Amino acid sequence: MAKISELQDSKYFVPMAFSALSAIVVLAIKAYAYAVTNSQAIFADFMESLLHIGIVGITSLSLWYAAKPPDREHRYGHGKAAYFSAAFEGLLVLFTGGATLYNAFNSLFRGFTPHNLEMGALLVVVVIVINAVMSYYLIRRGKDLNNIALQSHGYHIQTDMWTSMGVVISLFATWMTGYSWVDSIVGAFLALWILYTGGQVCLQAYQGLMERIDEDVHATVLALLENAVDEKLIEDFHQLRHRRVNDVIWIEVHLLFDGKLTLNEVHRRATVLEVRLIESFPADQVNVMTHLEPTKHLEAHPVNHPDREKPPI
């Protein structure tokens, strides 16, 4: 387990602490709103927030673990733990969407009569404001840190916000028309939206685990290498590989030099290029590994390696 001091020093502690606090406040408001209205839409929203409390704990632990530095057993660090957390969170969102869809159809056929709709709508509006602020903050912070767990957590809260907006619409429509089934229909559409969001989160986690190419990183690295060739800093390059895990980037490339250059000069040029690569990603931790070769060594490697191939869109 993490020590409190370790969590407090983490750049993820503050956003997750705010998230946990807001989740407790939101849960309490929804519980009270359901108690005074007997609205099935609010009940479904309450259940989503109850699930959210557990997700906050899971995400916090995964962020702590992912931030641990490389060790003897994990030479590339622990960053991929964040992708597992995102995948699990996406599955929970899918489960919540399915349960909400079931609840909507169940209430439609069994029939429920909500009351005190004005009070319930006002309480849910307060929830919407809290979740809107938190989701924006977490998504923005997650993008700044290039952390998928924070982003997916923010999108989950955003889903909760949209669900709550649907609840308000449902309560208003039910109050205006007097038809309690309107609440169930709106709930069913919201459930489908939740299912879509959960699917997107799972897809993003899958792409991260499979190390799908980061197109922005590839374009930047490729431009720097080709510029180095144009200015004769290097003769050529091949065997280019790179991957991103949250805010950490690994770049591997073989650099070709004129065989007449001294070892000191070759090393100096390689260092210049490595520094350029690192400085091109100021918000990330960049690890560059270069292998230095004479130009005549080119034929020793596969000719079909996609060094300059444009990444898929």
Side-chain angles (χ1 to χ4, degrees):
M1 284 294 294
K3 297 178 181 178
I4 296 298
S5 59
E6 291 175 333
L7 287 174
Q8 289 174 338
D9 291 338
S10 171
K11 54 192 171 184
Y12 305 117
F13 175 77
V14 172
M16 292 311 300
F18 279 136
S19 178
L21 179 61
S22 68
I24 294 172
V25 172
V26 164
L27 184 67
I29 294 174
K30 289 182 179 180
Y32 179 71
Y34 172 65
V36 300
T37 63
N38 195 37
S39 167
Q40 292 304 303
I42 292 180
F43 175 74
D45 208 17
F46 165 76
M47 291 301 294
E48 199 280 336
S49 288
L50 188 62
L51 177 64
H52 174 68
I53 294 290
I55 289 177
V56 169
I58 294 170
T59 304
S60 298
L61 288 175
S62 73
L63 288 173
W64 163 75
Y65 188 77
K68 293 178 65 176
D71 55 30
R72 185 171 177 271
E73 289 79 20
H74 307 90
R75 298 300 175 95
Y76 284 94
H78 304 76
K80 283 195 174 183
Y83 294 113
F84 285 105
S85 170
F88 182 65
E89 185 164 343
L91 291 174
L92 288 179
V93 173
L94 288 174
F95 172 80
T96 301
T100 304
L101 188 62
Y102 170 81
N103 185 76
F105 281 109
N106 186 50
S107 64
L108 178 64
F109 291 110
R110 294 181 59 185
F112 293 92
T113 304
H115 47 265
N116 294 328
L117 300 181
E118 301 92 335
M119 174 63 73
L122 179 61
L123 291 170
V124 176
V125 167
V126 175
V127 167
I128 291 172
V129 172
I130 295 174
N131 282 337
V133 173
M134 279 308 307
S135 63
Y136 175 80
Y137 169 68
L138 289 174
I139 293 172
R140 181 65 179 270
R141 187 63 177 154
K143 289 181 177 179
D144 290 342
L145 297 174
N146 286 311
N147 189 283
I148 186 177
L150 275 181
Q151 291 182 58
S152 63
H153 191 52
Y155 284 122
H156 184 188
I157 296 177
Q158 191 177 74
T159 299
D160 189 28
M161 179 193 71
W162 289 114
T163 303
S164 298
M165 291 182 67
V167 169
V168 172
I169 295 172
S170 175
L171 294 176
F172 181 75
T174 303
W175 176 68
M176 288 291 292
T177 64
Y179 297 126
S180 59
W181 56 264
V182 173
D183 185 44
S184 301
I185 297 298
V186 173
F189 279 107
L190 289 172
L192 294 175
W193 170 254
I194 294 174
L195 288 170
Y196 171 78
T197 301
Q200 291 296 106
V201 172
C202 287
L203 177 61
Q204 190 177 11
Y206 167 78
Q207 291 176 342
L209 287 171
M210 295 302 295
E211 296 185 347
R212 186 179 188 273
I213 189 171
D214 187 315
E215 297 177 21
D216 292 334
V217 172
H218 185 78
T220 300
V221 171
L222 194 59
L224 282 171
L225 291 172
E226 291 182 340
N227 286 340
V229 173
D230 292 339
E231 66 181 79
K232 299 300 182 181
L233 184 66
I234 62 176
E235 294 297 319
D236 205 348
F237 65 92
H238 56 204
Q239 299 296 299
L240 171 62
R241 294 178 175 86
H242 56 80
R243 64 176 178 171
R244 171 191 287 280
V245 178
N246 300 318
D247 58 346
V248 181
I249 299 174
W250 283 271
I251 302 171
E252 301 177 15
V253 63
H254 292 196
L255 304 179
L256 300 176
F257 296 91
D258 188 333
K260 297 179 181 179
L261 295 175
T262 65
L263 178 60
N264 285 337
E265 177 61 17
V266 168
H267 182 268
R268 184 194 69 79
R269 295 187 183 191
T271 301
V272 170
L273 184 53
E274 290 169 5
V275 171
R276 290 180 185 178
L277 288 168
I278 293 172
E279 291 178 345
S280 296
F281 304 96
D284 300 300
Q285 176 187 329
V286 183
N287 302 293
V288 182
M289 180 178 294
T290 56
H291 179 63
L292 315 181
E293 302 174 346
T295 52
K296 66 179 182 180
H297 189 64
L298 179 61
E299 62 272 10
H301 294 282
V303 296
N304 60 341
H305 191 278
D307 293 320
R308 293 173 171 79
E309 185 176 295
K310 185 178 180 181
I313 298 176

